[in-house]
Amino acid sequence: MKTIYLCDSSIEGILSGVYTAWASRKGHDNVKLRLKDDGATMELFCQYEEVPVDSQKADKVITAIRNKISEEAYEVVYKAALSNDMERADKIYRLLIYGFRVGAGVVSMLQNQAVYDIFQMCRFVDNETHLLTGFVRFTEMEGDLLVGRIGPKNDVIVLLAPHFADRLSGENWVLYDVNRKKAVLHPAYRHWYLTDFLPSDWEDKIVKTSVEDEYEDLFKRFRKSISIKERTNPICQLNHMPLRYRPYMPEFSQGLRDV
Amino acid sequence: MLIQESLSVQEKLEILSDAAKYDVACTSSGVDRKGKAGTIGNASKAGICHSFSADGRCISLLKILFTNQCIYDCKYCINRSSNDVVRTAFTPEEVCQLTIQFYRRNYIEGLFLSSGVLTSADYTMDLIYQTLKKLREEYHFHGYIHVKAIPGADPLLIEKTGFLADRMSINLELPTAEGLKKLAPGKNRDKILKPMKQIQNGIVTNRFELMEYKKAPAFVPAGQSTQMIVGATPENDYQMMMVAEALYKNYDLKRVFYSAFVPVNQDSSLPALPGGPPLLREHRLYQADWLMRFYGFQAGELLSEDRPNFNVLLDPKCDWALRHLEQFPVEVNRADYFTLLRVPGMGVKSVKRIIAARRSGILDFEALKKMGVVLKRAHYFITCSGRMMYPVKIEEDYISRHLVGEERRSVWDISSSNTYRQLSLFDDTSLSTQVNSGGIVV
Ligand code: SF4
């Protein structure tokens, strides 16, 4: 009978699951990893086992990946764990089975389905991160604070944080993931940190510097006048800037489309 | 000339960004620079798009003219001195404020500062220099700056400006001296090429300095670029590509941009272009430019005096492959990097993946699909372990008919400009590269 390990959706949770499934010695074909909250239906004739988050076990897996496969493989696993793929736990497990067998070369062996699955997930995570480095918008709040809100599909906030910490090192800023209700906080000239313990009314407590930010208005005007009328092309625009990013951008506050 | 000094910043911004929009370069690419304590900003080599305007072009930089006043009368230009438009100018302070405030809110990657020629080339260049100096030294801006060198300006001013900018550009605008004479009477080849040479030399010298002392200030670290207008004068594609190639080779340009001519002025020396700007032609030029920069093609391989224009129905790479069928099919498991790069349907990324993946085993067609190869185009030109995907004739007419059929839709999409879809160039559909001017992945 197959054993299904239900893990927490964090990277520690997933790697705890990897450790437990591996250590069970039931054979890789007889085990499967699933996320506790993946919303999928229960399978019949399976045994379910919940895996508690255990950072020691997770650390052991991480050390093994780094030493026996490669640093790059760890990076790939880390990113895949941030993906929104509901089957990411099992996909990571399958990658690691193969990776521990073939070693450092694994990350480029796209012909292998397990590698390819992870590659696709990482690509999505990377693309979304890259787009958001451009699409994040900060609003100026009272008390010298910039606040940006995002609603990403993947859990990319920790990948974005170093980028903004480097470029806006002298600013107080908050980057808030609306979907996961967690935020990166960056006090000026200090390190950033991640928190998911925000009081539910935190957003009401801060006030925009002014109702109509002058620069928001200027940017809207700039966006309009920089466009060449004879080349108007909403489809091309849409391909580069999917609608789902636009609700968080002030230039689309009057509507998600320009034309 | 109607000069409005008392306009609000909003009005100035509208006028001076509207007047800057025909400069297609908006990339912020070419240099990686970490942030520094006490400054604001950094730079990322791949470039970052912050928004897209209604024409589908990337907005990366605050692209503005310092002033739209101009002593010249270039026929194609909205700012030509004989045009009756409202003239205005920013102050250096205003440019700095806009840049910093936009940057803090993450609207932009930096500044693109160009200008009409006010009073004289030197006077204008100095205004630009003063503005950048203020932005870098007083406002501590550490992000990306692209600046125009004004043709005819004092080399010393150009040099000083180059130490504050990441990229400099001087637009060639028209590929031939005759074209320039006809449409830009105040300029000539020499005035444009001289500063281009100067910047090139500056970059080379600086490279040596940087090798010796790591702390030496960087001169135009993201390189220089230029722009040519497509379709304002009768030059053919072959001439355009030969000029571009010479610019890459002799001037080390990082980028040549192509800008489909948009008639903004009524002038008997300008073409009317009833079908709208020549977008498809512009697209083909970008594709060919791409082939020269990343695929090892020479302009002379793609076009010739006898065949001076690109095929409307096929992209330049397919077109080339069809004329060189004797070199195909190539064996994917053995062919070297540059041979694979010449296969239609394969891009730089997919070829790199193939080379990495085949080290650990033989690849089949299914595997190629995973690497991002577009098989419906590539399969005519490759074998996997000696076998083709389908039993097809390697015959020009046959393949051409199929490829044209496949391309027809995108051609139609581009030429009927309102529905112009984003075409991915040679299947490198990576979103992580910056995109500009009508969906050209750069
Ligand atoms: S020099 Fe020519 S192209 Fe440049 S702003 Fe003046 S008129 Fe326009």
Side-chain angles (χ1 to χ4, degrees), chain B residues 148-338:
Chain B
K148 272 278 145 65
I150 305 294
D154 182 346
L156 197 67
L157 273 173
I158 292 183
E159 186 184 327
K160 288 203 296 188
T161 310
F163 279 108
L164 299 171
D166 290 293
R167 172 165 287 179
M168 267 184 127
S169 62
I170 305 158
N171 285 352
L172 192 59
E173 303 293 14
L174 300 159
T176 60
E178 301 85 75
L180 212 53
K181 202 153 134 203
K182 192 167 140 223
L183 295 188
K187 296 180 185 166
N188 59 50
R189 273 301 258 264
D190 204 41
K191 258 195 192 167
I192 294 168
L193 294 181
K194 242 205 205 132
M196 218 182 247
K197 200 65 192 180
Q198 186 203 340
I199 296 169
Q200 179 196 13
N201 292 338
I203 293 172
V204 174
T205 320
N206 186 236
R207 226 173 270 150
F208 285 115
E209 284 168 359
L210 284 172
M211 270 191 298
E212 272 179 60
Y213 332 92
K214 285 245 162 57
K215 286 251 150 61
F219 181 81
V220 196
Q224 65 172 327
S225 63
T226 193
Q227 161 174 315
M228 287 193 276
I229 303 173
V230 180
T233 43
E235 289 92 357
N236 57 38
D237 293 344
Y238 182 58
Q239 281 169 300
M240 302 278 278
M241 288 331 289
M242 291 304 274
V243 172
E245 187 171 68
L247 290 170
Y248 284 129
K249 279 198 182 132
N250 305 335
Y251 293 85
D252 278 336
L253 286 204
K254 265 276 153 64
R255 287 296 307 273
V256 175
F257 291 94
Y258 307 87
S259 169
F261 178 56
V262 180
V264 288
N265 301 324
Q266 295 293 328
D267 195 296
S268 57
S269 54
L270 294 173
L273 299 177
L279 295 178
L280 179 58
R281 190 174 167 210
E282 179 196 272
H283 183 69
R284 291 281 180 254
L285 288 167
Y286 272 113
Q287 289 181 311
D289 185 87
W290 202 258
L291 290 178
M292 294 202 301
R293 287 187 300 133
F294 300 113
Y295 289 69
F297 279 91
Q298 313 267 321
E301 289 180 275
L302 300 172
L303 295 171
S304 64
E305 304 245 352
D306 308 330
R307 269 186 76 265
N309 288 309
F310 287 113
N311 191 333
V312 180
L313 299 173
L314 279 175
D315 77 59
K317 195 182 183 190
C318 283
D319 194 46
W320 174 85
L322 281 173
R323 283 181 286 113
H324 294 85
L325 283 179
E326 74 285 352
Q327 302 184 18
F328 295 101
V330 299
E331 170 54 44
V332 172
N333 287 294
R334 267 197 317 275
D336 66 24
Y337 178 77
F338 284 101

Side-chain angles (χ1 to χ4, degrees), chain A residues 98 105 108-113 116 119-120 123 126-127 130-140 144-146 162-164 166-171 189 213-237 239-241 249-252 258-259, chain B residues 9-10 13-14 17-18 21-22 33-42 47-57 59 61-64 97-98 101-109 260 262 277 279 282 353 356-358 360-361 363 367 370-371 417-422 431-432 435 437-439:
Chain A
Y98 194 55
S108 48
M109 294 164 79
L110 296 184
Q111 61 270 56
N112 178 286
Q113 190 63 38
Y116 182 65
F119 165 77
Q120 291 276 70
R123 192 153 64 161
D126 281 337
N127 284 344
H130 179 78
L131 287 181
L132 280 169
T133 56
F135 295 164
V136 163
R137 292 288 179 267
F138 287 109
T139 307
E140 185 157 64
D144 240 338
L145 175 67
L146 296 170
H163 172 82
F164 289 107
D166 185 56
R167 84 170 25 187
L168 299 176
S169 58
E171 303 270 2
Y189 305 109
D213 182 348
E214 171 195 0
Y215 290 97
E216 242 176 66
D217 175 58
L218 285 168
F219 184 60
K220 284 183 193 166
R221 287 167 192 265
F222 169 70
R223 266 188 90 258
K224 274 213 184 90
S225 55
I226 205 72
S227 185
I228 298 178
K229 201 173 83 254
E230 291 83 348
R231 304 184 63 128
T232 300
N233 190 343
I235 295 168
C236 177
Q237 186 195 30
N239 284 334
H240 292 307
M241 196 186 205
M249 307 171 94
E251 60 260 46
F252 294 106
D258 283 304
V259 275
Chain B
V9 175
Q10 282 104 304
L13 180 62
E14 279 173 344
S17 58
D18 186 80
K21 70 184 172 195
Y22 300 101
R33 185 170 54 236
K34 284 243 141 234
K36 203 168 109 190
T39 69
I40 172 169
N42 61 14
I48 295 173
C49 291
H50 285 254
S51 194
F52 286 84
S53 42
D55 53 14
R57 297 192 304 162
I59 296 177
L61 303 172
L62 169 63
K63 185 161 52 179
I64 46 175
Q97 276 295 346
L98 278 173
Q101 293 305 337
F102 277 16
Y103 195 86
R104 290 177 68 223
R105 290 163 176 76
N106 206 40
Y107 299 162
I108 52 167
E109 236 359 64
V262 180
L279 295 178
E282 179 196 272
R353 288 180 198 133
R358 72 186 185 186
S360 51
L363 304 182
K370 294 196 172 105
M371 320 268 148
S417 64
N418 279 339
T419 52
Y420 172 24
R421 268 158 229 265
Q422 143 76 15
L431 289 170
S432 57
V435 174
S437 68

Side-chain angles (χ1 to χ4, degrees), chain B residues 24-29 60-61 144 146 167 255 257 434 436 442:
Chain B
V24 293
C26 192
T27 57
S28 53
S29 53
S60 182
L61 303 172
Y144 197 90
H146 179 156
R167 172 165 287 179
R255 287 296 307 273
F257 291 94
Q434 208 185 7
N436 88 351
V442 297

Side-chain angles (χ1 to χ4, degrees), chain A residues 120-179:
Chain A
Q120 291 276 70
M121 289 152 67
C122 287
R123 192 153 64 161
F124 186 20
V125 170
D126 281 337
N127 284 344
E128 191 170 37
T129 308
H130 179 78
L131 287 181
L132 280 169
T133 56
F135 295 164
V136 163
R137 292 288 179 267
F138 287 109
T139 307
E140 185 157 64
M141 301 295 178
E142 255 169 29
D144 240 338
L145 175 67
L146 296 170
V147 174
R149 300 164 80 249
I150 52 173
K153 288 198 173 157
N154 301 291
D155 190 6
V156 297
I157 199 167
V158 288
L159 301 177
L160 288 168
H163 172 82
F164 289 107
D166 185 56
R167 84 170 25 187
L168 299 176
S169 58
E171 303 270 2
N172 301 308
W173 54 260
V174 176
L175 192 58
Y176 179 58
D177 180 336
V178 176
N179 295 339

Side-chain angles (χ1 to χ4, degrees), chain B residues 331-393:
Chain B
E331 170 54 44
V332 172
N333 287 294
R334 267 197 317 275
D336 66 24
Y337 178 77
F338 284 101
T339 308
L340 287 177
L341 265 189
R342 292 194 166 218
V343 175
M346 289 197 191
V348 171
K349 285 204 175 144
S350 48
V351 169
K352 285 194 173 142
R353 288 180 198 133
I354 289 171
I355 304 257
R358 72 186 185 186
R359 288 200 194 106
S360 51
I362 301 284
L363 304 182
D364 56 15
F365 287 99
E366 193 48 44
L368 292 186
K369 214 194 256 160
K370 294 196 172 105
M371 320 268 148
V373 173
V374 182
L375 283 174
K376 61 182 175 188
R377 223 171 307 155
H379 78 87
Y380 302 100
F381 305 97
I382 52 174
T383 57
C384 283
S385 310
R387 231 176 264 150
M388 294 193 76
M389 194 166 162
Y390 306 112
V392 293
K393 286 178 283 197

